[in-house]
Amino acid sequence: MLGDRLRDLRQQHSLTLRQLATAADVSPALLSQIENGATDPSLSTLRKLAKVFDTSIAELFSEPEAPPVHVSRVGARTRLAAPPGQITYERLTPGRGDLEVLQAHLAPGDASSAEPWAHPSTECAIVVTGEVVAEIGGESYTLTAGESVTFDSRLAHLYRNASDQPAHLIIAVTPPTP
């Protein structure tokens, strides 16, 4: 689905693979693999592509024809990988543009981004297993399994696993702007 959406956006903007690759500072081979569903892009790559198209990452995943009932199955979800040392997400919701729910995994020492960042949404994170430090608006909140935090995500934020055990959390964002 992401590959098809990326190809559509590229063609709507009358860009070749090489032109888009140059504008996004990625390789044409990587873009071809993403468009053909052979690889999943990193969050960094998604942010670069969204910037080229002057849109949000969520828009790259929008599904105008999303079904009224969506079942998310293990092994069939879109994965959003980040560079080593950062978070890995799985999308649990379709791209309707109203709600994004992500399952996130943080290895010990990993963070959701290199620096806190903000976006215009409301966000809720629930820790399923492990311990996560949520840095929000310059404050740190340590959350353990079963605890959650909800906040205005216009406050710069990130999630960090400062423990020696893996952490698993569910993040809901509305409207989606991951």
Side-chain angles (χ1 to χ4, degrees):
M1 177 209 62
L2 172 62
D4 294 336
R5 179 72 177 127
L6 182 58
R7 183 179 300 107
D8 290 345
L9 281 169
R10 180 175 58 78
Q11 291 171 345
Q12 287 171 14
H13 287 82
S14 301
L15 295 171
T16 66
L17 273 174
R18 191 169 304 283
Q19 289 169 328
L20 178 56
T22 299
D25 193 29
V26 298
S27 74
L30 174 62
L31 289 180
S32 178
Q33 290 174 343
I34 295 169
E35 285 190 4
N36 292 315
T39 191
D40 292 322
S42 69
L43 266 171
S44 173
T45 298
L46 289 172
R47 286 184 177 131
K48 290 176 182 180
L49 291 168
K51 186 175 181 180
V52 170
F53 294 124
D54 193 29
T55 191
S56 68
I57 293 174
E59 184 60 30
L60 297 178
F61 290 95
S62 70
E63 293 179 63
E65 305 297 320
V69 176
H70 172 80
V71 176
S72 173
R73 302 223 187 266
V74 174
R77 298 177 181 137
T78 301
R79 291 181 57 85
L80 306 175
Q86 292 188 11
I87 202 165
T88 300
Y89 296 106
E90 288 183 23
R91 289 185 75 222
L92 303 178
T93 50
R96 287 195 198 111
D98 56 348
L99 172 69
E100 182 81 58
V101 180
L102 304 164
Q103 179 170 251
H105 302 277
L106 282 168
D110 283 2
S112 58
S113 59
E115 297 291 327
W117 72 290
H119 51 92
S121 301
T122 296
E123 192 160 326
C124 177
I126 305 118
V127 177
V128 178
T129 60
E131 181 177 291
V132 174
V133 176
E135 294 180 17
I136 305 165
E139 298 287 326
S140 293
Y141 305 88
T142 300
L143 307 169
T144 59
E147 297 180 328
S148 67
V149 61
T150 303
F151 59 95
D152 181 335
S153 50
R154 289 177 292 190
L155 297 169
H157 59 283
L158 65 77
Y159 303 103
R160 181 172 40 85
N161 183 350
S163 76
D164 60 358
Q165 298 295 315
H168 171 215
L169 58 157
I170 303 293
I171 301 169
V173 182
T174 185
T177 53

